[in-house]
């Protein structure tokens, strides 16, 4: 399971009407599940415990989570979260993905080209401010603008005052608004990564499944002012791990869930959203695999993109299966009907919130009429994406902060520029291949007369257009991008870089589409979402958790196996199992083992636990999260969920939903006996 | 997967209308799939090859298969096929099931109390004889009697002439009749069995699943006249096993399938047959587990019965799931409709066979009206079953052979008496528990006024009745049973043994029910079955295989993994995996390991293949069958099918249906390094 991707789903809120299941929930740190923990486990975390865990938890803006595991900034995450940075640091000569990396000395620790990590240092409820601003507007469109304005103002003011990254996040789809302030780090250096083959042992087949035998770990170190940070907020390393049925916590950043969506929204996802995502991912993978087949260097360049797309595809297919599952949809319908009945039975509630469901259903119907256009008017290319960002950036910064597009508010500009100027390599031939593939798709889906297609192709074939655009562009050089941004609208208007020219021409089209969706869909669903959020609090109180928003959450659960395919899956696997699964496939394909595993097998205690599962409620974005025991010690490293849990986008099923983690014992054993990394083992153990 | 059980399903025939899938089929040795083997594998077995394999294959009348693996009568089968005999030889002091058994010298080889094994020495097509006799009768009832008469005559004449066990078997549900002659052996001695815990490692959870880590093997030796037999018909031991994707054969005795059933029959199984079987098995298991909980000795006594019932339950639930699967039933319906359309399009065929489907559907409707009575008018007790057999036997033998009940024909009497006089122990307290449970069920399902219930209870509670019947009976002594049979009807009529008295009283009831089913269901479905069998040959020729009938069949397939629960299952497992799975569950419950496995682990080559899967088409009854390569060598030992293959009762699915076998390498490694059995290893390797 890798990171997650946002697919721009229209946001709106429906709170589940029924009490949550044991183990269910991605809880915010202001509202931890104290009642459930006390009733089921007789455990109540102190505020000190909660603060310590929160400040030890890290958001990886590449898409994923991490935690501090030493007082000197050592940061543990998954190999697959680190993978993008590994790829960007690799060359044809030094392939850190294939061969791994270990900095035997502090001097060898290797800077990441464009990684930003965040630590959530404070949370402030700003619902009243947002509601007050919005309530003065009458139409959904006016409310939309007012909401955007007040949020941008809060963020900017916070940034000015504190210097911290400041994001207002809508929880419960607008039932609450919170200002989250983050300490931001951008000097993040790679310390250790094993071979990708052992991190992702079993490859795409085993991805999202269990039993599993992966050492999906990587270690970074966070620096500030050229030195490792010093901090008391780190998780103590417990190499014994957790016992069967032990209570454990996961603190991390789940990306997106749709549990509070209305039936109308779920049906739109089922009938339009997910099938299109799947189709698009399959096309992208086919294009990348064709490129990859050209040679070893092409394969190396394309590997991360294929890896990410294949991962997304398997997850999307699992989610789609959940939406097609009649029993899942029946349960969601039952919840919605019960909630609706409670609202409709109270005259005041009915008047205030009763229209929300129909409003959302209407908005989804409207969205469906233009969703194809939005989906297929895109360019699959890093350079084209950079060009679009540059054209938008120079225009947006001239507007008042509150009126800018999402992502361009004052408080977000530093992170935006950090990404725009990344020195990571961009491969021309791969760019042409990807852009050709996406232009071919646009042409096929939208036809030659579509305005976007006409502008993009300009009389050329997709292949001709892609080659001309990429070959003619200088944007692969970060200095060129910086110069354009620094030159502002004048420089961008004067540029004859073909990708900038195209981005300029497409800009009005994209703005028109965005505006249409804002006016007809987002503004309506945001208002309805806020109504349903309030309705939920009115009926049930704040007894549940919000949908995932890639913000910090705490989940609790038990280390435990589960019924699987006619038998039972064990709560853990061992190193014996790694050698069994590799040997069972004659060490072929995704089941081969890096040579050190064969050569040093006899050094290992093969009964060492390798991976384990718990009933914690997680989803994409939680990758790299620590698994934590009652004492606040780290006992594992989340890297995946099981296939039965992919339906977790919509519903949590206690009996079968499992988080999959690397065991601390295996990480210790491997660092010590396979990777000769005593420096790290000692640091982890505090020796 | 253990043996199989016949549940008295009404027999009738429908041939599948479509060409069979690659790997599909339980082929008779007179009609091997030569075309498929040549087209797919460029392999054509010679007649010599076929004869050698057939004569090396053995039917275990406890329910299972086996093969000769040395020139001195060494017989390889599954531990779970040998289990009944192990249980019968065990005592509170010597528990061969828990501890295993090894005869270090020939003198220690241990006689089985009541095992009969058969080798198929000849096959003769007697369809013409049967058809000629039946064609002279007009009504289904008269045809039924004529068929029974001619078959009994053929069997008796063959026995008289050859001295061989002679069974006429209806193939294609009556499309063909064959006389099978068997060489019969009853001096079958146990040579080796491992601990049940390693034979059935993973227990009920892992049963019918894969990946698997079981050493489900046992070795017997067949004696004649007090000496091991001498024979050239045995399979050469190949300890290297088969490679991935290698062509392999399975020669064994699949018990029952329902692939040629009509939709009416399948629907009856779905709506009545399977749910009742499941209900009944659950009740039996509950009764046995209650008894088992009384103490260690009770647990030992009940273990085999619980094992068998739990195994049957898991299989029944898998079959039931298949019947509930709409896509399976839709495929079956499509096949039937295509076949019907072909018949109806030809005036001659339509006239001869067209009525068969409706006749079967009518018969199934009638059967449903009395199926509850038949199912719940039974006594779950070994002693009661023996009493019933004795009462029936002395009555039947006085009739002309052709008019007797099934099982009591002249040619079958020797095997019947062998079972009746078995010296195997019968445990009084367990008998009372089982009988109480089944009487309670009869009372609950049929009510106190049912004729059977009245006779069985005779005014007592189920518990009182069971205790009085069992405690008052002397039938646990084989000599008493023999005396009654030798005394004939007079002795049985004079007996005051309460179980004999009850069996006498119930006899008219049972005969009336049997007669009703014969007249209203079996006779109709046999005639219709013969019509459909002929129809199938008319339309498609003899291009397919008959449903399983616990007679010898040859299947072919490839060693290969399959897609499983989101990932892929490997073609084999290794000894590494055994230690992984045991350790993954902390060696608890069904995953503990016999001590020698821990103590001698370092002696083992853990990369040795343990189990493997192939696409061979098998079903319960195939347990213990050899897996054979092109050269006719044994490379594995069938012991189970995967959970995805349980639907195989109705349909074979090439992509996921897998036979699970123990690898010859693991058997060799274990005998040599864990069980110190060089005598057997040398015999197997021909050293």
């Amino acid at each position: 399971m890798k990171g997650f991707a946002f697919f721009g789903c229209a946001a709106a809120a429906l709170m589940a009407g029924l009490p949550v299941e044991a183990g269910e929930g991605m809880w915010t740190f202001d509202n931890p599940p104290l009642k459930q923990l006390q009733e089921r486990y007789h455990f109540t975390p102190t505020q000190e415990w909660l603060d310590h865990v929160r400040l030890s938890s890290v958001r990886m803006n590449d898409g994923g989570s991490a935690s501090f595991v030493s007082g000197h900034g050592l940061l543990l995450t998954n190999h697959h979260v680190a993978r993008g940075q590994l790829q960007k640091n690799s060359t044809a000569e030094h392939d850190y993905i294939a061969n791994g990396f270990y900095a035997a000395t502090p001097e060898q620790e290797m800077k990441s080209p464009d990684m930003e990590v965040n630590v959530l240092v404070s949370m402030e409820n700003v619902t009243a401010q947002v509601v007050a601003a919005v309530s003065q507007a009458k139409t959904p469109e006016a409310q939309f603008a007012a909401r955007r304005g007040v949020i941008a103002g809060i963020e900017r003011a916070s940034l000015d005052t504190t210097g911290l990254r400041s994001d207002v996040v809508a929880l419960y789809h607008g039932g609450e608004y919170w200002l989250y302030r983050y300490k931001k780090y951008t000097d993040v250096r790679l310390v250790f990564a094993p071979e990708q083959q052992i991190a992702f042992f079993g490859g795409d087949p085993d991805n999202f499944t269990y039993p599993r035998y992966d050492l999906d770990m990587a270690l970074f170190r966070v620096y500030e002012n050229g030195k490792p940070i010093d901090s008391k907020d780190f998780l103590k390393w417990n190499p014994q791990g957790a016992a069967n049925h032990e209570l454990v916590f996961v603190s991390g950043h789940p990306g997106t869930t749709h549990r509070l969506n209305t039936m109308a929204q779920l049906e739109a996802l089922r009938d339009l959203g997910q099938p299109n995502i799947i189709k698009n991912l399959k096309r992208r993978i086919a294009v990348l695999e064709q490129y990859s087949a050209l040679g070893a260097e092409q394969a190396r360049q394309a590997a991360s993109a294929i890896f990410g797309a294949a991962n997304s595809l398997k997850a999307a297919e699992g989610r789609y299966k959940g939406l097609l599952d009649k029993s899942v949809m029946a349960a969601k319908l039952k919840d919605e009907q019960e909630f609706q009945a409670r609202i409709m039975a109270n005259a005041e509630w009915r008047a205030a919130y009763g229209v929300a469901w129909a409003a959302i259903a209407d908005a989804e119907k409207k969205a469906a009429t233009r969703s194809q256009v939005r989906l297929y008017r895109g360019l699959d290319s890093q350079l084209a994406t950079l060009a679009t960002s540059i054209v938008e950036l120079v225009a947006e910064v001239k507007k008042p902060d509150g009126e800018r597009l999402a992502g361009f508010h004052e408080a977000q500009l530093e992170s935006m520029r950090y990404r725009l100027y990344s020195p990571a390599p961009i491969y021309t031939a791969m760019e042409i291949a990807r852009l050709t593939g996406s232009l071919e798709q646009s042409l096929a889906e939208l036809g030659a007369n579509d305005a976007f297609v006409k502008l993009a192709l300009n009389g050329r074939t997709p292949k001709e257009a892609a080659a001309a655009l990429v070959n003619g562009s200088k944007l692969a050089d970060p200095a060129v991008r910086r110069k354009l941004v620094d030159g502002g609208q004048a420089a961008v208007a004067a540029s004859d870089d073909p990708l900038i020219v195209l981005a300029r021409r497409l800009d009005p089209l994209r703005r028109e589409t965005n505006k249409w969706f804002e006016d007809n869909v987002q503004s309506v669903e945001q208002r309805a979402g806020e109504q349903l959020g309030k309705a939920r609090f009115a009926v049930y109180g704040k007894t549940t958790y919000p949908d995932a928003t890639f913000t910090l959450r705490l989940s609790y659960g038990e280390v435990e196996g589960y019924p699987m395919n006619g038998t039972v899956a064990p709560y853990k696997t061992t190193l014996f199992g790694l050698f069994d699964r590799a040997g069972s496939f004659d060490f072929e394909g995704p089941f081969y083992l890096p040579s050190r595993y064969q050569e040093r097998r006899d050094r290992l205690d093969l009964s060492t636990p390798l991976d384990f599962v718990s009933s914690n409620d997680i989803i994409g974005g939680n990758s790299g999260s620590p698994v934590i025991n009652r004492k606040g010690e780290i006992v594992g490293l989340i890297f995946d969920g099981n296939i039965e849990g992919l339906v977790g986008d919509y519903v949590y099923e206690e009996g079968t939903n499992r988080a999959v983690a690397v065991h601390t014992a295996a990480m210790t054993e491997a660092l010590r006996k396979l990777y000769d990394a005593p420096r790290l083992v000692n640091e982890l153990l505090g020796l």
Side-chain angles (χ1 to χ4, degrees), chain A:
Chain A
M1 179 175 68
K2 173 167 183 303
F4 67 93
F6 285 117
F7 280 99
C9 307
L14 162 67
M15 321 310 274
L18 293 174
V20 295
E21 298 221 17
E24 177 172 357
M26 303 165 182
W27 302 85
T28 52
F29 272 71
D30 70 284
N31 183 37
L34 299 177
K35 186 161 168 284
Q36 288 90 330
L37 287 171
Q38 186 51 240
E39 279 175 4
R40 189 147 167 162
Y41 298 103
H42 312 295
F43 176 71
T44 299
T46 61
Q47 190 57 47
E48 194 185 357
W49 189 99
L50 289 166
D51 290 344
H52 179 69
V53 166
R54 172 171 54 80
L55 294 169
S56 303
S57 302
V58 176
R59 182 166 76 173
M60 308 291 275
N61 282 358
D62 277 14
S65 303
S67 64
F68 288 117
V69 289
S70 90
H72 310 293
L74 202 59
L75 193 65
L76 177 70
T77 188
N78 295 140
H79 182 279
H80 80 257
V81 171
R83 201 185 190 293
Q85 300 298 325
L86 285 168
Q87 174 103 36
K88 289 169 186 171
N89 267 325
S90 290
T91 60
E93 291 72 41
H94 295 284
D95 188 344
Y96 300 121
I97 289 179
N99 306 320
F101 175 85
Y102 171 50
T105 65
E107 294 69 34
Q108 293 169 11
E109 297 183 356
M110 180 168 64
K111 198 158 173 357
S112 308
D114 51 11
M115 176 172 272
E116 176 186 319
V117 309
N118 300 150
V119 177
L120 179 61
V121 293
S122 84
M123 302 172 286
E124 189 184 329
N125 190 337
V126 296
T127 312
Q129 265 178 277
V130 175
V131 167
V134 170
S135 66
Q136 288 165 20
K138 294 286 171 255
T139 64
E141 292 88 337
Q143 290 171 347
F144 184 83
R147 195 181 294 110
R148 182 155 73 180
V150 66
I151 287 173
I154 294 168
E155 290 176 346
R156 194 180 52 243
S158 169
L159 174 66
D160 290 348
T161 318
T162 64
L164 295 167
R165 171 168 178 158
S166 300
D167 298 346
V168 170
V169 53
L171 300 176
Y172 309 93
H173 296 224
E176 287 186 347
Y177 290 90
W178 285 74
L179 169 62
Y180 279 18
R181 293 193 184 91
Y182 297 98
K183 171 83 177 157
K184 186 171 76 177
Y185 298 100
T186 53
D187 186 353
V188 183
R189 306 190 190 175
L190 185 68
V191 178
F192 169 77
E195 303 88 342
Q196 139 113 352
Q197 181 51 30
I198 193 66
F200 195 51
F201 178 79
D204 187 55
D206 277 6
N207 196 15
F208 292 107
T209 73
Y210 181 82
R212 197 69 166 280
Y213 310 93
D214 288 4
L215 190 76
D216 191 356
M217 71 177 291
L219 287 161
F220 288 94
R221 192 183 304 280
V222 172
Y223 285 67
E224 209 171 24
N225 305 320
K227 285 184 184 162
I229 62 166
D230 241 324
S231 168
K232 280 175 302 186
D233 289 312
F234 67 92
L235 302 172
K236 188 165 178 278
W237 189 261
N238 178 336
Q240 273 71 53
N244 199 3
H245 299 296
E246 184 171 328
L247 168 65
V248 288
F249 298 87
V250 171
S251 171
H253 301 80
T256 313
T257 55
H258 297 89
R259 296 193 188 161
L260 304 184
N261 279 32
T262 66
M263 288 308 292
Q265 290 168 317
L266 290 178
E267 285 161 6
L269 279 173
R270 181 190 63 196
D271 301 333
L272 215 59
Q274 290 295 342
N276 272 317
I277 286 167
I278 289 168
K279 186 175 172 187
N280 194 36
L281 285 167
K282 285 185 173 167
R283 184 199 58 76
R284 274 179 56 200
I285 292 168
V287 166
L288 288 163
E289 284 181 342
Q290 207 177 349
Y291 178 74
S292 187
L294 296 176
E297 174 54 15
Q298 286 91 337
R300 192 194 66 75
Q301 293 169 6
S304 269
I306 291 175
F307 176 88
N311 181 76
S312 297
L313 177 61
K314 199 163 180 182
E317 288 179 328
R319 286 194 303 267
Y320 188 43
K321 207 176 143 197
L323 288 169
L324 292 176
D325 183 331
K326 291 197 170 61
S327 68
V328 168
M329 290 299 262
K332 299 301 290 186
L333 180 62
K334 185 162 166 278
D335 285 357
E336 176 162 300
Q337 287 172 337
E338 284 176 9
F339 180 29
Q340 255 175 341
R342 295 283 293 271
I343 294 300
M344 296 308 181
N346 175 313
E348 194 185 324
W349 292 348
R350 179 183 184 130
Y353 317 128
V355 297
W357 287 280
I360 289 173
D362 283 348
E364 288 292 335
K365 253 185 231 158
K366 273 201 188 165
T369 64
R370 293 190 67 165
S371 68
Q372 296 291 102
V373 162
R374 188 163 56 161
L375 187 66
Y376 294 111
R377 282 188 176 174
L379 300 169
D380 180 18
S381 146
Q382 281 181 272
L383 290 173
T385 304
L386 288 165
T388 303
S389 295
I390 291 168
V391 168
E392 285 181 338
L393 174 62
V394 296
E396 292 300 307
V397 291
K398 300 184 72 177
K399 296 184 192 168
D401 195 14
E403 292 172 20
R404 296 182 194 166
L405 288 176
F408 295 95
H409 297 297
E410 209 54 45
Q412 300 166 323
L413 288 185
E414 191 175 321
S415 297
M416 161 70 77
R417 289 198 192 96
Y418 183 60
R419 285 197 301 278
L420 271 184
Y421 307 150
S422 166
I426 294 173
Y427 306 105
T428 304
M430 187 162 84
E431 284 286 293
I432 294 173
R434 286 172 61 181
L435 190 51
T436 303
S438 91
L439 288 171
E440 283 171 352
Q441 177 174 252
S442 299
L443 179 60
E445 296 285 344
L446 303 173
N449 289 324
D450 177 79
F452 168 88
V453 174
K454 276 186 179 168
L455 286 171
L457 295 184
N458 202 15
R460 299 164 294 192
T461 66
K463 200 171 177 177
E464 289 165 358
L469 289 164
V470 173
N471 286 329
S473 176
K474 301 272 182 293
L475 294 179
D477 180 355
V480 171
R481 304 197 289 266
R482 185 186 290 268
K483 212 172 148 190
L484 278 165
V485 173
D486 290 347
Q489 260 192 314
V492 168
S495 169
D496 60 356
D497 188 290
L499 281 169
I500 293 289
V501 173
L502 178 60
R504 279 199 320 254
R505 288 188 186 149
L506 292 176
D507 195 55
L509 263 190
R510 190 166 33 248
R511 285 179 188 276
E512 189 279 330
T513 303
N514 283 346
K515 183 82 172 54
W516 186 90
F517 272 95
E518 280 175 11
D519 292 350
N520 291 281
V521 184
Q522 282 155 272
S523 62
V524 177
E525 296 204 352
Q526 280 186 4
R527 176 156 81 167
E530 285 171 358
Q531 288 169 341
L532 290 177
K534 285 179 203 156
R536 177 68 187 75
F537 292 140
V539 176
Y540 301 107
K542 194 171 167 181
T543 57
T544 188
Y545 57 95
D547 258 325
T549 50
F550 199 40
T551 53
L552 188 65
R553 302 296 177 86
L554 185 70
S555 86
Y556 72 100
E558 262 178 57
V559 174
E560 57 179 335
Y562 58 98
M564 188 204 75
N565 208 43
T567 182
V568 284
Y571 78 95
K572 69 176 177 192
T573 63
T574 71
L575 286 173
F576 277 121
L578 173 66
F579 290 95
D580 176 56
R581 193 146 175 88
S584 291
F585 288 96
D586 295 328
F587 304 94
E588 285 173 5
F591 302 99
Y592 85 84
L593 280 177
S595 55
R596 78 176 79 228
Y597 283 77
Q598 296 283 30
E599 290 156 10
R600 298 186 168 201
R601 193 181 81 198
D602 290 344
R603 298 190 190 184
L604 297 168
D605 174 356
L606 295 180
S607 67
T608 305
L610 176 46
D611 295 339
F612 67 101
V613 279
S614 67
S615 57
N616 291 74
D617 191 1
I618 62 158
I619 204 143
N622 265 120
S623 287
S625 302
V627 185
I628 302 167
N629 66 14
R630 289 172 196 236
K631 291 193 219 159
E633 298 165 339
I634 180 168
V635 294
L637 168 63
I638 294 292
F639 74 99
D640 207 349
N642 62 350
I643 196 104
E644 294 84 351
L646 282 175
V647 69
D649 196 10
Y650 315 107
V651 65
Y652 172 84
E653 294 186 344
E654 184 186 358
T656 52
N657 189 311
R658 291 294 177 277
V660 187
V662 188
H663 198 283
T664 40
M667 292 189 268
T668 314
E669 182 83 356
L671 286 171
R672 186 180 274 146
K673 297 183 183 170
L674 294 171
Y675 294 97
D676 298 329
R679 163 173 110 90
L680 296 181
V681 173
N682 290 341
E683 184 174 350
L684 289 170
L685 295 175
L687 299 176

